Amino acid sequence: EREGVEVDVLVNNAGVLQHGAFTGMAPPDHQSMIQLNIAGFTDLLAHLVPPMVERGEGRILNVGSIAAFQPVPSLATYAATKAYVLSLSEALGEELRGSGVSVTALCPGVTDTNMVATAQAESAGLDLPDVLVGDVETVAREGFAGLMKGTPIVIPGTINQATVLAARAMPKWLVRRLAGMAGRSSIS
């Protein structure tokens, strides 16, 4: 605002994660994830969306995660923050329908980023096969394409799409149990 810059595109991509048992993390660790992944995320939207709506144009790409679609023991707080990102993105997208401002939630799976590399270095339980780790450029390209089309939700990668589809098709009790088995095994 001070510089007179109008933001046409917001890529809301700040985020942190910490892997491990919920009870093994200090309260400030949970709060730092919530502060950045939810409070900071929402603050950017609250400041930048109203001027877009006033101008009648703008694009928003909120970076979530496939963790938003199911509980993830060992990433409980992180997954909950990404569920918030997805929910707010969908609600805001509908609220802004017809305003000239589009909202896209990019929900990748594990992606080869510094955040993931740091988490893997700090936790042996996050050692994943290469086939499950997405390429940054591919994820970015698919996110950009969805942003430009105004697609509400973009889930890059066939494995990630299948995971989300399965989580939505199965009964919640089964999703919890399967996620629980996988999550507990990564922290034991």
Side-chain angles (χ1 to χ4, degrees):
E1 287 178 356
R2 285 188 305 266
E3 300 296 322
V5 174
E6 292 181 345
V7 175
D8 297 316
V9 177
L10 169 61
V11 178
N12 215 349
N13 186 34
V16 292
L17 72 78
Q18 195 165 20
H19 176 260
F22 183 90
T23 57
M25 289 181 212
D29 294 335
H30 294 287
Q31 286 304 312
S32 68
M33 277 188 278
I34 292 166
Q35 189 61 36
L36 182 59
N37 297 2
I38 292 177
F41 161 83
T42 305
D43 194 47
L44 279 171
L45 291 170
H47 280 88
L48 298 175
V49 171
M52 289 179 180
V53 172
E54 285 177 23
R55 289 191 312 273
E57 64 181 353
R59 297 180 189 278
I60 301 160
L61 181 68
N62 290 325
V63 180
S65 168
I66 62 167
F69 294 95
Q70 67 271 319
V72 186
S74 76
L75 293 173
T77 301
Y78 172 79
T81 67
K82 292 307 179 174
Y84 176 90
V85 168
L86 177 61
S87 182
L88 183 58
S89 297
E90 289 185 281
L92 187 57
E94 284 302 313
E95 191 175 311
L96 298 177
R97 183 179 294 281
S99 71
V101 179
S102 67
V103 180
T104 299
L106 173 61
C107 297
V110 177
T111 306
D112 189 17
T113 63
N114 289 336
M115 180 180 75
V116 170
T118 300
Q120 285 178 315
E122 293 173 358
S123 175
L126 277 179
D127 189 24
L128 300 167
D130 289 342
V131 70
L132 296 179
V133 180
D135 172 64
V136 172
E137 289 184 25
T138 302
V139 169
R141 208 173 5 265
E142 289 187 37
F144 179 76
L147 170 73
M148 297 311 290
K149 290 179 190 170
T151 306
I153 302 171
V154 174
I155 303 167
T158 305
I159 292 173
N160 296 327
Q161 292 169 8
T163 299
V164 169
L165 182 61
R168 287 195 158 180
M170 287 189 278
K172 286 295 268 182
W173 69 265
L174 183 56
V175 172
R176 279 192 308 274
R177 293 283 163 76
L178 293 172
M181 288 188 309
R184 283 188 304 275
S185 72
S186 76
I187 54 178
S188 50

